[in-house]
């Protein structure tokens, strides 16, 4: 049996993510909270990997999501606004060059569309912390 995952995905035991890239849940909070969609963990955290040629498709989550950069590559995180303020579209770059405006982390507010891509041809690992905790029931890909 062959394992066709990229090396970093294999080393971190990541699986394919439906939005693109690779992921694995690393942590689930021990406390539950009530949400309009039902009970969820207070927070969850995943490792997420993009390799050259991959991107994260436009998607929206009903919870706040904090992206934490690990590198080595840089990642452009695009915000696409929401139903009430679609004009609030902008990007941030996650990376190590703080003097150039890159950030080590960025927060996507609940209900804001988002997508990610590599800035150059170097893979990038991030962690994504979601609160209330992530559920695929609370996530939607763009049409």
């Amino acid at each position: 049996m062959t394992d066709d995952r990229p090396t970093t995905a294999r080393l971190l035991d990541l699986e394919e993510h439906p939005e693109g890239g690779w992921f694995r849940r690393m942590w689930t909070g021990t406390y539950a909270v009530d949400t309009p969609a039902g009970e969820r963990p207070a927070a969850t955290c995943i490792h997420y990997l993009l390799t050259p040629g991959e991107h994260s498709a436009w998607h929206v989550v009903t919870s706040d999501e904090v992206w934490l950069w690990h590198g080595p590559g840089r990642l452009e995180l695009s915000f696409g606004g929401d139903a009430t303020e679609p004009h609030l579209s902008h990007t941030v770059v996650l990376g190590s060059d703080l003097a150039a405006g890159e950030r080590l982390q960025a927060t996507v507010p609940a209900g804001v569309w988002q997508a990610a891509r590599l800035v150059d041809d170097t893979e990038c690992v991030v962690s994504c912390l979601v609160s209330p905790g992530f559920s695929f029931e609370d996530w939607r890909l763009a049409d």
Side-chain angles (χ1 to χ4, degrees):
M1 177 183 275
T2 62
D3 189 340
D4 295 333
R5 294 178 292 176
T7 300
T8 302
R10 198 168 48 255
L11 291 170
L12 293 173
D13 195 26
L14 307 180
E15 60 186 60
E16 286 185 271
H17 197 295
E19 73 195 34
W22 304 85
F23 83 109
R24 179 166 67 103
R25 184 176 285 190
M26 304 305 295
W27 172 76
T28 301
T30 55
Y31 295 99
V33 296
D34 289 323
T35 75
E39 191 173 88
R40 301 285 184 262
T44 57
C45 188
I46 66 168
H47 280 335
Y48 181 72
L49 167 71
L50 286 178
T51 62
E54 297 177 329
H55 68 279
S56 163
W58 282 101
H59 63 285
V60 66
V61 180
T62 61
S63 297
D64 293 333
E65 183 169 4
V66 180
W67 290 62
L68 306 158
W69 178 82
H70 302 300
R74 297 177 299 149
L75 185 134
E76 181 183 81
L77 182 59
S78 297
F79 297 70
D82 62 24
T84 61
E85 298 184 273
H87 62 283
L88 294 180
S89 180
H90 67 285
T91 62
V92 298
V93 174
L94 300 178
S96 63
D97 192 349
L98 304 180
E102 294 177 2
R103 300 180 187 180
L104 299 177
Q105 71 182 52
T107 301
V108 180
V112 172
W113 288 90
Q114 59 181 293
R117 69 172 189 83
L118 296 175
V119 173
D120 37 42
D121 278 340
T122 304
E123 72 178 23
C124 184
V125 176
V126 297
S127 291
C128 295
L129 178 69
V130 177
S131 180
F134 181 84
S135 170
F136 277 105
E137 296 171 10
D138 305 327
W139 168 89
R140 186 168 48 116
L141 275 174
D143 294 330

